[in-house]
Amino acid sequence: MKVSIIGATGYTGAELVKILLRHPRVEIETITSQSFAGKKISEVYPWLSTDLVCQSLDVERIVSFSSFIFLALPHGASMEVVGKLYLRSKRIVDLSADFRLDHPLVYEKWYGVAHKKKDLLKQAVYGLPELYREKIKGARLVANPGCYPTSTILSLAPLLKFDLIKEDSIIVDSKSGVTGAGRKLTLKTHFPEVNENLSAYQVGCHRHIPEIEQELAKLAQKEVKITFVPHLVPLNRGILSTCYAGLKDPPQPKDLVKAFEDFYREEPFVEILPQGCFPQVKDVVNSNRCQIGLMVDEKKRQVIVISTIDNLGKGASSQAVQNMNIMCGFEETMGLS
Amino acid sequence: MKVSIIGATGYTGAELVKILLRHPRVEIETITSQSFAGKKISEVYPWLSTDLVCQSLDVERIVSFSSFIFLALPHGASMEVVGKLYLRSKRIVDLSADFRLDHPLVYEKWYGVAHKKKDLLKQAVYGLPELYREKIKGARLVANPGCYPTSTILSLAPLLKFDLIKEDSIIVDSKSGVTGAGRKLTLKTHFPEVNENLSAYQVGCHRHIPEIEQELAKLAQKEVKITFVPHLVPLNRGILSTCYAGLKDPPQPKDLVKAFEDFYREEPFVEILPQGCFPQVKDVVNSNRCQIGLMVDEKKRQVIVISTIDNLGKGASSQAVQNMNIMCGFEETMGLS
Amino acid sequence: MKVSIIGATGYTGAELVKILLRHPRVEIETITSQSFAGKKISEVYPWLSTDLVCQSLDVERIVSFSSFIFLALPHGASMEVVGKLYLRSKRIVDLSADFRLDHPLVYEKWYGVAHKKKDLLKQAVYGLPELYREKIKGARLVANPGCYPTSTILSLAPLLKFDLIKEDSIIVDSKSGVTGAGRKLTLKTHFPEVNENLSAYQVGCHRHIPEIEQELAKLAQKEVKITFVPHLVPLNRGILSTCYAGLKDPPQPKDLVKAFEDFYREEPFVEILPQGCFPQVKDVVNSNRCQIGLMVDEKKRQVIVISTIDNLGKGASSQAVQNMNIMCGFEETMGLS
Amino acid sequence: MKVSIIGATGYTGAELVKILLRHPRVEIETITSQSFAGKKISEVYPWLSTDLVCQSLDVERIVSFSSFIFLALPHGASMEVVGKLYLRSKRIVDLSADFRLDHPLVYEKWYGVAHKKKDLLKQAVYGLPELYREKIKGARLVANPGCYPTSTILSLAPLLKFDLIKEDSIIVDSKSGVTGAGRKLTLKTHFPEVNENLSAYQVGCHRHIPEIEQELAKLAQKEVKITFVPHLVPLNRGILSTCYAGLKDPPQPKDLVKAFEDFYREEPFVEILPQGCFPQVKDVVNSNRCQIGLMVDEKKRQVIVISTIDNLGKGASSQAVQNMNIMCGFEETMGLS
């Protein structure tokens, strides 16, 4: 199958190229880059062993030669391109935020621009396979989840689905490596500023909040408002989210680990750790895995769930490929383990 | 004033030596080290510009020549030495955990050994100047607080003192640099294991919990049970604690920042950041400062308090010197800014 | 083909497991570990997705079931096991230093123990495919090169082979990530000691010197004595070697890059960068690649060659697999790109 | 004494502020910053405990109120300001490269702009106290050395002064932390690009080469051409230079360490390590110290000298204060230990 990647020279785009180059059923047809058009991507990322040359974006050319397209463009820039590709009957995974939120006004509020393809929002499927596998199978447009939402929703889904926690008690304290902030130069990501440093940012106002709350609400079948504080940590890759929630009716502690195991039993990329064990990011970096450990505090009637993913893996590019595998009827783990 | 440091070659001991060498009112008389007796401390820490030689511990010698003694021994090893020094009327700051907990059974439960100097527990003053300055002035034995407790108690003291938060709702998510784990070799602190990694540890069972709860209870004048999850982060120094708590009666958001400012108005080492600002560890590393930023979420009736300290500074050695300054009637900031 | 790995739980052993798990022609039969016998290797390295359980070393069992064996034991511990396996006609890649040096007395001098399998030294082929591919094809015992030797020899081979540099003028200034020091706990590799630090070590007396000089001498067809200074750098993986040598007769600068290109033209894992370009370690980490950039200083009649490898990749485990591929007639790049 | 700092918000400027704030004989009168005029410097660097507000550059104001001025401006921007200040009889330490090179044409060649104050070049004293203390005492304009030159010249001065090494054989392999590249945002210093990476840069063409060669030539009393390769290492602060040179007539190895000790006997900030010991950067970071270790290879008739400094300390700001102390007749170590 011939695929194209629009926006291939950001960190998520390059990671996509890396994964797709070794995917047995895929041939990369076109990669585009605004900044590096005309250059081999191996000039930008010499660790990529390929002769692929970055093109300017030419939608006509892409629709002629590719049947599957990934978009790794900044939010706002993605929706119009998606619109054109969709019209031409292509299958699409969009890694931007443009089609993740159901309601265009919510999008406008958090991203500061009006949504230009409201009609398509209804067609888009939220690309978290653990929740929406069946819908993804039939989808033509998949909105690939954000990194924090993937980490958070996987941590909390069984608890909300089984109605175990108080919906208004959820606190998510996330810690992310610096690639999560992208390749754009900022003082915050200048080496001497972030090395040997540690800080919270966008406390209570991060753009991933509405996306998380939207999906948690569907699981809970009622509105959910979370407290979410992301932190920047001096490492390249990885997210560790520590989630706290108050328990509803008394389930037994053992039940909770079992509930998670049951919920994710068939999932190839989610691992529930044994009672008393908690994950660390180095075990999931460079993979599509999510590891989850949890603990119940009976006295406080509280559960702590800790999960880890690679923000560029399950949090972005490898999850995008997992979605492609599902959409195309390939084995779901193909090229990912 | 002649001072001695017992246990000078761990990270906190060496930091004490560094600070005391430039203290204008102090002369270091003796430093002891079990592992490096007979060696200059500058052989162990070449960045220390001093000819001080490590001695084996000889209590008699120390009491003869020093009027003030710091102990930076492991917990359990400290209490007997403190006992001897106290008998000889010395003033003491003990950096171990041995005299921080009021109740010997609580100590025994969390530290696994029986307390051998129960009578002295009543004499010991908990060395957090922001709470106990007056008692410290008259104390002969000060139990220097742990790093996580310093970070946590300073974050929550105004809220509990002014009865603003629900005592059973407190969650503390702390992140610490690796010096917090000491100089002892462990796989967890082996460079390739902790570099590019991120993990929680001792989830819900860290030894600093009873110390934190004891002090918060005094502030609240009722029992307090917290949820506490420490994390290990790949940097050398610094603790950032993100604290979450449910609000009681509606104070206005502005009031809360002001409440913190009022509470700490006279404090030379605690800074309250303006509304909307949050601290980062690099601004407090190598200092005795604690920075605090906070935010109220009116809808969720919740407050988020984020604080930073240097775990070897305000979290250990520079706070010990602050205590000495208070005990000896020196200017409190002497040698610390 | 069934393979076994003896000493699977050090860093190079685990890397071997990772690579061999995805090798299309190989099945891992047995992995051994002294420290973790009875445990799944995924308990030691959770990022390894396998159910393989570590065994105690049982040579008989291994020879019964495996036709190819990797040894990743400490030097000194390897030679006797190799002896037994060799007697039983197995094909072997030994990652230790035990069979790299031609002369047992040189081995004894640098490694401090007598060599117990001197007869086998003659059978062992030095496993640097770029120099010894034909011999490796027919070998039963391959001594996998050290990380610094791989980096250095590949940097200098064309210069010595073509008789371009003065043999007594060679200076190699190498910088290595911390996994090069292994998984054994040492103060030098304790996180707070090596993080934010930089140091030279074993200046002029590193054990890889005789190995490098032996191979350079064969290329030069005369004795070669190098100056070699390794440095420890706060990153996990990667070696960058900066090599300096005086030029003999004036070749044109362009010729030198071309000489390298010619020398390595058929090599799948060595890349010569264009004139004026120099490599960085992040482009070779997690790969079997070696990148080389060079520059001639005409006035000083000197050449500077800079090369990069992953110390656990081309410097150890992936090179071991490259050797296996050659020995077994598999495609040389199989499982490695 | 009232001092001003022109260009206070780069890394070297902020370091100057930090040092001068605790200098007992100095009061900071004015600090200037183009980018942050009107803001407190503690808003830019919250770890600076001061209420100083950044001003736009107003030379008249500065000359009215300050008797001593530091300039930490980019090269090219410094010379005209220096010119005005010099005319007004101020004493000046210029941290830029503008007055380090004796010959304006050399400056123009390497820095790409014509020198506008050629007459002042003759007045400027090169601010390496270990070589030029007497001249610095009487100077009104001191050109503070670059970080690599400080590291390199101190490593080689005794060898050249005592005529011990071949002038055409010198190789300097330097490794620097990332603050050496300044606060300007570049892809090369973007955290995910430099973290877990290692690279050489400006191989053989770094701007510090003519400065080093100029000073080494004066020591050798003949032309010196060095080979110089700087490397970027993922840490914040510190330079380690590994210097290689061929020996002239046979001095005894012990003599060489002694020669260094003799040469630097009176120097408060240069330490010669015992035979067989080599320095590491963490021992000099946050100090004005330079540590030097060396080794002779008798067989190769070669000496290896390894030195460490803090690039923002002895390599820039604390050396600038050392120069001020000398110029003003203060104790040379004042405020620096």
Side-chain angles (χ1 to χ4, degrees):
Chain A
M1 186 174 73
K2 296 202 170 175
V3 308
S4 287
I5 301 162
I6 297 175
T9 55
Y11 287 144
T12 54
E15 191 73 11
L16 260 177
V17 173
K18 183 181 90 176
I19 297 168
L20 292 172
L21 280 174
R22 59 186 191 213
H23 193 288
R25 296 289 293 274
V26 153
E27 185 191 338
I28 301 178
E29 212 281 322
T30 300
I31 59 175
T32 83
S33 166
Q34 201 172 340
S35 318
F36 299 100
K39 288 198 177 171
K40 283 183 172 186
I41 194 167
S42 62
E43 290 177 68
V44 189
Y45 295 102
W47 46 265
L48 279 173
S49 296
T50 169
D51 290 326
L52 285 167
V53 174
C54 300
Q55 313 287 339
S56 298
L57 175 55
D58 174 346
V59 172
E60 281 313 305
R61 197 188 174 288
I62 285 174
V63 296
S64 309
F65 293 109
S66 300
S67 51
F68 200 102
I69 294 112
F70 294 93
L71 293 98
L73 294 173
H75 63 84
S78 202
M79 46 192 159
E80 290 203 86
V81 185
V82 165
K84 290 177 192 169
L85 297 169
Y86 193 86
L87 271 180
R88 305 291 290 266
S89 301
K90 298 299 164 183
R91 280 174 296 178
I92 303 156
V93 173
D94 180 21
L95 282 83
S96 87
D98 284 1
F99 294 92
R100 294 177 194 156
L101 296 172
D102 297 338
H103 301 291
L105 289 180
V106 177
Y107 178 85
E108 190 170 341
K109 177 185 166 194
W110 286 86
Y111 289 90
V113 288
H115 205 289
K116 298 171 190 160
K117 295 287 160 187
K118 293 171 192 167
D119 51 322
L120 271 186
L121 286 177
K122 285 184 209 74
Q123 313 305 322
V125 174
Y126 191 71
L128 197 61
E130 291 76 9
L131 299 186
Y132 297 110
R133 183 170 286 109
E134 289 311 309
K135 281 191 176 174
I136 293 166
K137 278 181 190 169
R140 280 213 289 119
L141 170 56
V142 164
N144 211 57
C147 51
Y148 286 126
T150 297
S151 163
T152 303
I153 300 165
L154 292 177
S155 300
L156 298 171
L159 297 170
L160 288 167
K161 187 75 177 179
F162 299 149
D163 197 24
L164 300 172
I165 54 172
K166 297 176 192 159
E167 292 80 5
D168 61 351
S169 72
I170 299 169
I171 289 168
V172 179
D173 187 295
S174 287
K175 299 93 179 161
S176 173
V178 184
T179 53
R183 201 174 189 238
K184 187 153 171 280
L185 305 184
T186 67
L187 187 61
K188 205 173 175 61
T189 54
H190 189 50
F191 184 87
E193 302 293 321
V194 59
N195 183 45
E196 295 298 290
N197 199 4
L198 189 50
S199 60
Y201 67 104
Q202 293 174 25
V203 178
C205 61
H206 192 282
R207 281 170 171 169
H208 284 166
I209 291 174
E211 183 181 337
I212 296 169
E213 290 181 341
Q214 166 184 293
E215 295 304 318
L216 297 187
K218 290 176 192 168
L219 287 156
Q221 294 182 288
K222 59 186 291 193
E223 196 185 45
V224 176
K225 290 290 170 198
I226 63 162
T227 299
F228 177 68
V229 182
H231 300 76
L232 192 62
V233 176
L235 63 141
N236 283 353
R237 297 167 73 135
I239 288 179
L240 183 143
S241 291
T242 312
C243 307
Y244 307 86
L247 290 167
K248 284 185 170 170
D249 294 336
Q252 299 309 312
K254 280 191 186 169
D255 285 356
L256 263 197
V257 171
K258 193 167 175 305
F260 272 72
E261 286 172 350
D262 289 347
F263 191 89
Y264 290 120
R265 189 165 305 282
E266 305 297 321
E267 290 303 329
F269 295 114
V270 180
E271 291 172 64
I272 308 307
L273 302 186
Q275 191 79 25
C277 293
F278 295 94
Q280 54 183 355
V281 299
K282 74 196 291 278
D283 293 331
V284 299
V285 163
N286 286 318
S287 85
N288 194 45
R289 296 157 87 193
C290 173
Q291 293 194 321
I292 298 176
L294 64 150
M295 197 191 92
V296 168
D297 181 339
E298 264 307 321
K299 275 193 206 151
K300 295 200 72 174
R301 299 293 307 144
Q302 193 174 52
V303 59
I304 303 171
V305 186
I306 302 180
S307 73
T308 51
I309 59 167
D310 182 341
N311 56 299
L312 294 181
K314 182 68 174 166
S317 303
S318 63
Q319 179 148 274
V321 174
Q322 183 182 3
N323 280 318
M324 178 197 73
N325 285 341
I326 297 170
M327 293 162 80
C328 299
F330 303 150
E331 197 182 342
E332 192 167 330
T333 60
M334 189 173 279
L336 292 175
S337 55
Chain B
M1 183 174 73
K2 295 202 170 178
V3 308
S4 287
I5 301 162
I6 296 176
T9 54
Y11 287 143
T12 54
E15 191 73 11
L16 260 176
V17 173
K18 183 181 90 176
I19 297 167
L20 292 171
L21 280 175
R22 59 184 189 215
H23 192 286
R25 295 289 293 274
V26 154
E27 183 191 340
I28 302 178
E29 212 283 319
T30 300
I31 59 174
T32 83
S33 166
Q34 200 171 343
S35 318
F36 298 99
K39 289 199 176 171
K40 282 184 172 183
I41 194 166
S42 63
E43 291 178 67
V44 188
Y45 294 101
W47 46 265
L48 280 172
S49 297
T50 170
D51 290 326
L52 285 167
V53 174
C54 300
Q55 313 286 339
S56 297
L57 175 55
D58 173 347
V59 172
E60 281 314 305
R61 197 188 175 291
I62 285 174
V63 296
S64 311
F65 293 108
S66 300
S67 50
F68 200 101
I69 294 112
F70 294 94
L71 293 98
L73 295 173
H75 62 84
S78 202
M79 48 191 159
E80 291 203 86
V81 184
V82 166
K84 293 177 191 167
L85 297 169
Y86 193 86
L87 272 180
R88 304 291 291 268
S89 302
K90 298 299 165 184
R91 280 174 297 178
I92 302 157
V93 172
D94 180 21
L95 281 82
S96 86
D98 284 2
F99 294 92
R100 294 178 195 156
L101 296 172
D102 297 337
H103 301 291
L105 290 179
V106 176
Y107 179 84
E108 190 170 342
K109 176 185 165 192
W110 286 87
Y111 289 90
V113 290
H115 205 288
K116 299 171 188 160
K117 296 286 162 191
K118 293 173 192 168
D119 51 322
L120 271 186
L121 285 176
K122 284 181 211 75
Q123 314 304 322
V125 174
Y126 191 72
L128 197 61
E130 290 76 9
L131 299 186
Y132 297 110
R133 182 170 287 110
E134 288 311 310
K135 283 192 175 175
I136 293 166
K137 278 181 190 170
R140 280 214 289 116
L141 170 56
V142 164
N144 211 58
C147 50
Y148 286 126
T150 298
S151 162
T152 303
I153 300 165
L154 292 177
S155 300
L156 298 170
L159 297 171
L160 289 166
K161 188 75 177 178
F162 299 150
D163 197 25
L164 300 173
I165 54 172
K166 297 174 192 161
E167 293 80 7
D168 61 351
S169 72
I170 299 169
I171 290 169
V172 179
D173 188 293
S174 286
K175 300 93 180 161
S176 174
V178 185
T179 53
R183 204 176 187 238
K184 186 153 172 279
L185 305 184
T186 66
L187 186 61
K188 206 174 175 58
T189 53
H190 188 51
F191 184 86
E193 302 293 322
V194 59
N195 183 45
E196 294 298 289
N197 199 4
L198 189 51
S199 60
Y201 67 103
Q202 293 175 24
V203 178
C205 60
H206 192 281
R207 279 168 171 170
H208 284 166
I209 292 176
E211 182 181 340
I212 297 169
E213 290 181 343
Q214 164 183 293
E215 295 304 318
L216 297 187
K218 290 177 191 166
L219 287 157
Q221 295 183 288
K222 59 186 288 192
E223 194 184 48
V224 176
K225 292 289 171 200
I226 63 161
T227 300
F228 177 68
V229 182
H231 300 77
L232 191 63
V233 175
L235 63 142
N236 282 354
R237 298 168 75 135
I239 288 180
L240 184 144
S241 292
T242 313
C243 308
Y244 306 87
L247 290 167
K248 283 185 172 169
D249 293 337
Q252 298 309 312
K254 281 190 185 169
D255 284 356
L256 263 196
V257 170
K258 193 168 176 306
F260 273 73
E261 286 172 349
D262 289 347
F263 192 88
Y264 290 120
R265 189 166 305 281
E266 305 297 320
E267 291 304 329
F269 294 115
V270 181
E271 291 172 64
I272 308 306
L273 302 186
Q275 191 79 25
C277 292
F278 295 93
Q280 54 183 356
V281 298
K282 74 196 294 274
D283 293 331
V284 298
V285 163
N286 285 319
S287 86
N288 193 46
R289 295 158 87 192
C290 173
Q291 292 194 323
I292 298 176
L294 64 148
M295 196 191 90
V296 169
D297 181 339
E298 263 309 319
K299 277 193 205 151
K300 296 201 74 176
R301 299 294 307 144
Q302 193 174 50
V303 59
I304 303 171
V305 185
I306 301 180
S307 74
T308 50
I309 59 168
D310 183 342
N311 55 298
L312 295 180
K314 183 68 175 165
S317 303
S318 63
Q319 179 150 272
V321 174
Q322 184 183 2
N323 280 316
M324 178 195 76
N325 285 342
I326 297 170
M327 293 162 80
C328 299
F330 303 150
E331 195 182 343
E332 190 168 330
T333 59
M334 189 175 278
L336 293 174
S337 54
Chain C
M1 184 173 73
K2 296 201 168 175
V3 309
S4 287
I5 301 162
I6 297 175
T9 54
Y11 287 142
T12 55
E15 190 73 11
L16 259 177
V17 173
K18 182 181 89 176
I19 298 168
L20 292 171
L21 280 174
R22 59 184 189 214
H23 193 287
R25 296 289 293 274
V26 153
E27 184 192 339
I28 301 179
E29 213 284 320
T30 301
I31 60 173
T32 83
S33 167
Q34 202 172 339
S35 318
F36 299 99
K39 288 200 176 169
K40 281 185 175 184
I41 194 165
S42 62
E43 290 177 67
V44 188
Y45 295 101
W47 45 264
L48 280 172
S49 297
T50 170
D51 290 326
L52 285 167
V53 174
C54 300
Q55 314 287 340
S56 297
L57 175 56
D58 175 347
V59 172
E60 281 314 305
R61 198 190 174 290
I62 285 174
V63 296
S64 309
F65 293 107
S66 300
S67 51
F68 200 102
I69 294 112
F70 293 93
L71 293 98
L73 295 173
H75 63 83
S78 202
M79 47 191 159
E80 290 202 88
V81 184
V82 166
K84 290 176 192 169
L85 297 169
Y86 193 85
L87 271 180
R88 305 290 291 266
S89 301
K90 297 298 164 185
R91 279 174 296 178
I92 302 156
V93 172
D94 179 21
L95 281 82
S96 88
D98 284 2
F99 294 93
R100 293 178 195 157
L101 296 172
D102 298 336
H103 301 291
L105 289 179
V106 177
Y107 179 85
E108 189 169 342
K109 177 185 165 192
W110 287 86
Y111 288 90
V113 289
H115 206 287
K116 298 170 188 161
K117 294 289 162 188
K118 293 172 192 168
D119 51 322
L120 270 186
L121 285 177
K122 284 182 210 74
Q123 313 305 324
V125 174
Y126 190 72
L128 197 60
E130 291 76 8
L131 298 186
Y132 297 111
R133 182 170 287 109
E134 288 310 309
K135 282 190 175 176
I136 294 165
K137 278 181 190 170
R140 281 214 287 119
L141 171 55
V142 163
N144 211 58
C147 51
Y148 286 127
T150 298
S151 162
T152 303
I153 300 166
L154 292 177
S155 299
L156 297 170
L159 296 171
L160 289 167
K161 187 75 178 180
F162 298 150
D163 198 25
L164 299 173
I165 54 171
K166 297 175 191 161
E167 292 81 6
D168 61 351
S169 72
I170 299 168
I171 290 168
V172 179
D173 188 294
S174 286
K175 298 94 181 161
S176 175
V178 185
T179 53
R183 203 174 187 241
K184 186 153 172 281
L185 304 184
T186 66
L187 186 61
K188 206 175 175 55
T189 53
H190 188 51
F191 184 87
E193 302 293 320
V194 59
N195 183 45
E196 293 299 292
N197 198 4
L198 189 51
S199 61
Y201 67 102
Q202 294 174 25
V203 178
C205 62
H206 192 281
R207 279 166 172 173
H208 283 166
I209 292 175
E211 182 181 339
I212 296 169
E213 290 181 343
Q214 165 183 293
E215 295 304 318
L216 296 187
K218 289 176 191 169
L219 287 157
Q221 295 183 290
K222 59 185 292 190
E223 195 185 48
V224 176
K225 291 288 171 200
I226 62 161
T227 300
F228 177 68
V229 182
H231 300 76
L232 192 63
V233 176
L235 63 143
N236 283 353
R237 298 167 73 135
I239 288 179
L240 183 143
S241 291
T242 313
C243 307
Y244 306 87
L247 290 166
K248 284 185 171 172
D249 293 338
Q252 299 309 311
K254 281 192 184 168
D255 284 356
L256 263 195
V257 171
K258 191 166 177 311
F260 272 73
E261 287 173 348
D262 289 347
F263 191 88
Y264 290 119
R265 189 165 305 280
E266 304 297 320
E267 291 303 330
F269 295 114
V270 181
E271 290 172 64
I272 309 306
L273 303 185
Q275 192 78 26
C277 293
F278 295 93
Q280 55 183 354
V281 300
K282 75 196 291 278
D283 293 332
V284 299
V285 162
N286 285 318
S287 86
N288 195 46
R289 295 158 89 194
C290 173
Q291 292 194 322
I292 298 176
L294 64 150
M295 197 192 90
V296 169
D297 180 338
E298 264 309 318
K299 275 192 204 152
K300 296 201 72 174
R301 300 293 307 144
Q302 194 175 50
V303 59
I304 303 170
V305 186
I306 301 179
S307 73
T308 50
I309 58 168
D310 182 342
N311 56 299
L312 295 180
K314 183 68 177 165
S317 303
S318 62
Q319 179 150 271
V321 174
Q322 184 182 3
N323 280 316
M324 178 196 75
N325 285 342
I326 297 170
M327 292 163 81
C328 298
F330 303 150
E331 197 181 341
E332 190 167 331
T333 59
M334 190 176 276
L336 293 173
S337 54
Chain D
M1 186 175 71
K2 297 204 169 175
V3 309
S4 287
I5 301 163
I6 297 175
T9 54
Y11 287 142
T12 53
E15 190 74 11
L16 261 176
V17 173
K18 182 181 89 175
I19 297 167
L20 292 171
L21 280 174
R22 59 185 190 214
H23 192 287
R25 296 289 292 274
V26 153
E27 183 191 340
I28 301 179
E29 212 284 320
T30 301
I31 59 174
T32 82
S33 167
Q34 202 173 339
S35 318
F36 299 99
K39 289 198 177 172
K40 281 185 173 184
I41 195 167
S42 63
E43 290 177 67
V44 189
Y45 295 101
W47 46 264
L48 280 173
S49 297
T50 170
D51 289 326
L52 285 167
V53 174
C54 300
Q55 313 287 338
S56 298
L57 175 55
D58 174 346
V59 171
E60 280 316 303
R61 196 186 176 290
I62 286 174
V63 295
S64 310
F65 293 107
S66 300
S67 52
F68 200 101
I69 294 113
F70 294 93
L71 293 97
L73 294 174
H75 63 84
S78 202
M79 46 192 159
E80 290 202 85
V81 184
V82 166
K84 291 177 192 168
L85 297 169
Y86 193 86
L87 271 181
R88 306 291 291 266
S89 301
K90 298 298 163 183
R91 279 173 297 177
I92 303 156
V93 172
D94 179 22
L95 281 82
S96 87
D98 284 1
F99 294 92
R100 294 178 194 157
L101 296 172
D102 298 338
H103 301 291
L105 289 179
V106 176
Y107 178 84
E108 189 170 342
K109 177 184 166 192
W110 287 87
Y111 289 89
V113 289
H115 205 289
K116 298 171 189 161
K117 296 287 162 188
K118 292 172 192 168
D119 51 321
L120 270 187
L121 285 176
K122 285 182 209 75
Q123 314 304 324
V125 174
Y126 191 72
L128 198 61
E130 291 77 8
L131 299 186
Y132 297 110
R133 182 170 286 108
E134 289 312 309
K135 283 191 175 178
I136 293 166
K137 279 181 191 170
R140 280 213 290 118
L141 170 55
V142 164
N144 211 57
C147 50
Y148 287 126
T150 297
S151 162
T152 303
I153 299 166
L154 292 177
S155 300
L156 297 171
L159 297 171
L160 289 167
K161 187 76 177 177
F162 299 150
D163 198 24
L164 299 173
I165 54 171
K166 296 175 192 160
E167 293 81 5
D168 61 351
S169 74
I170 299 168
I171 290 168
V172 179
D173 188 294
S174 286
K175 298 93 179 163
S176 174
V178 185
T179 53
R183 203 174 187 240
K184 188 154 169 280
L185 305 184
T186 66
L187 187 61
K188 206 174 176 60
T189 53
H190 188 51
F191 184 87
E193 302 294 320
V194 59
N195 183 45
E196 294 299 289
N197 198 5
L198 190 51
S199 61
Y201 67 103
Q202 294 175 24
V203 178
C205 61
H206 192 281
R207 279 169 172 169
H208 284 166
I209 291 176
E211 182 181 339
I212 297 169
E213 290 181 342
Q214 165 184 296
E215 294 305 318
L216 297 187
K218 289 176 192 168
L219 287 157
Q221 295 182 291
K222 59 186 291 192
E223 196 186 46
V224 175
K225 291 289 170 198
I226 63 161
T227 300
F228 177 68
V229 182
H231 300 76
L232 192 63
V233 176
L235 61 143
N236 282 355
R237 297 167 73 135
I239 287 180
L240 183 144
S241 291
T242 312
C243 307
Y244 307 87
L247 290 167
K248 284 184 170 170
D249 293 337
Q252 298 309 313
K254 282 190 186 170
D255 285 357
L256 264 196
V257 171
K258 191 165 178 308
F260 272 73
E261 287 173 349
D262 289 347
F263 191 88
Y264 290 119
R265 188 164 307 281
E266 305 297 321
E267 291 303 328
F269 295 114
V270 181
E271 291 172 63
I272 308 305
L273 303 186
Q275 192 78 26
C277 293
F278 295 93
Q280 54 184 354
V281 299
K282 74 196 292 276
D283 293 332
V284 299
V285 163
N286 285 319
S287 86
N288 194 45
R289 295 158 88 195
C290 173
Q291 292 194 322
I292 298 176
L294 64 149
M295 197 191 90
V296 169
D297 181 339
E298 264 307 320
K299 275 193 204 151
K300 295 201 73 174
R301 299 295 305 143
Q302 194 174 51
V303 59
I304 303 171
V305 185
I306 301 179
S307 73
T308 50
I309 59 168
D310 182 341
N311 56 298
L312 294 181
K314 183 67 176 166
S317 303
S318 63
Q319 178 149 273
V321 174
Q322 184 182 3
N323 280 318
M324 178 197 74
N325 285 341
I326 297 170
M327 292 163 80
C328 299
F330 303 150
E331 196 181 341
E332 191 168 331
T333 59
M334 188 175 279
L336 293 174
S337 56

